[in-house]
Amino acid sequence: MRQILFSGAIGLFLTLIGTPLLIKLLARKGYGQYIRDDGPRTHGSKKGTPTMGGISFILATLIAYALAKVITGKPPSFSGVLVLFLFAGMGLVGFLDDYIKIVKQRSLGLRAKAKMAGQLIVGIAFAVLALNFADARQQTPASDRLSFVQDFGWSFGPVIFAIWALFMILAMSNGVNLTDGLDGLATGASVMVFGAYTFIGVWQYQESCANAQTLTNPASCFEVRDPLDLAVVASALMGACFGFLWWNTSPAKIFMGDTGSLALGGALAGLAICSRTELLLALLGGLFVLITMSVVIQVGSFRTTGRRVFRMAPLQHHFELKGWSEVLVVVRFWIIQGMCVIVGLGLFYAGWRAS
């Protein structure tokens, strides 16, 4: 359990002290945010704010995980390293996208095909590796069965699993990316979900089938390969995002950019897949789902009827155009996300009790 405390504390400390150094570096190089002309007018003042801040919490998370292992003398697990690989790999794709935006001063960075190709390469590599490298109990980091609180249903094979994993990775990455439109919104929401996965990892470790002989009810145990290490990863992510939020909250001194949003989405998908809570993620990350659906509805309505459902999509900008202040939108959306996490954890516990 000390690993969890160390990783969270180190991640928090590193982003608190490291982010202002990154802000100075990015400002000196002129790596500022490009603001689209068709966005809310109030966003004009954000032009030039340093972006690519995701570099801060990506490095902090990786260092925090490594130092927690060194301090406690515990070896890294394949599941934990695999989630971090997905996290950093998606962050690299986002970094290339951000860098092109800044250098060419345009709202679109990587071409759509190139960006998709990068995400597919990272996602497929994760999916292939996740079904290999079984431990002594023949448990692989991921399962080719669908999961909510635990695995259920039939095995659908490695090919279908890879497609499903790619869908989750792309959906969550783009969901966080769409949510990252207001100061601190995506960062604060991510902190809550990573906190939930820290709790889930600890609970799964305590009720792991590896400890079936000492459990009061072995029938309800969790078949998850490395639940405690997934909690260590989630804690490092939570701490690093919390520290970054200090500088990212309104008025933001730095934006995470696609570097951060794609990385966070990848981490969320990776934690859900490896902890066997894939469908539960849709509730735990309810705000990301809600905002993504607002874009789908807006685009679908305009293409079929020529009318817009919202004044502007994603959803947070609709409320801005209705006259809500940015801070008001962020706080109320955080409340919605907090409720999603509470309900999700309640269902997680209820599902375990029911089993």
Side-chain angles (χ1 to χ4, degrees), residues 113-141:
K113 291 183 179 179
K115 189 174 182 178
M116 180 61 71
Q119 292 176 305
L120 288 176
I121 290 171
V122 175
I124 291 173
F126 169 84
V128 171
L129 293 173
L131 289 182
N132 289 282
F133 300 95
D135 62 7
R137 299 177 56 250
Q138 298 306 305
Q139 288 293 318
T140 55

Side-chain angles (χ1 to χ4, degrees), residues 15 23 71 77 112 168 256 280 325 329:
T15 46
I23 292 172
I71 293 171
S77 74
M168 286 191 63
M256 70 169 69
L280 185 64
S325 69
V329 175

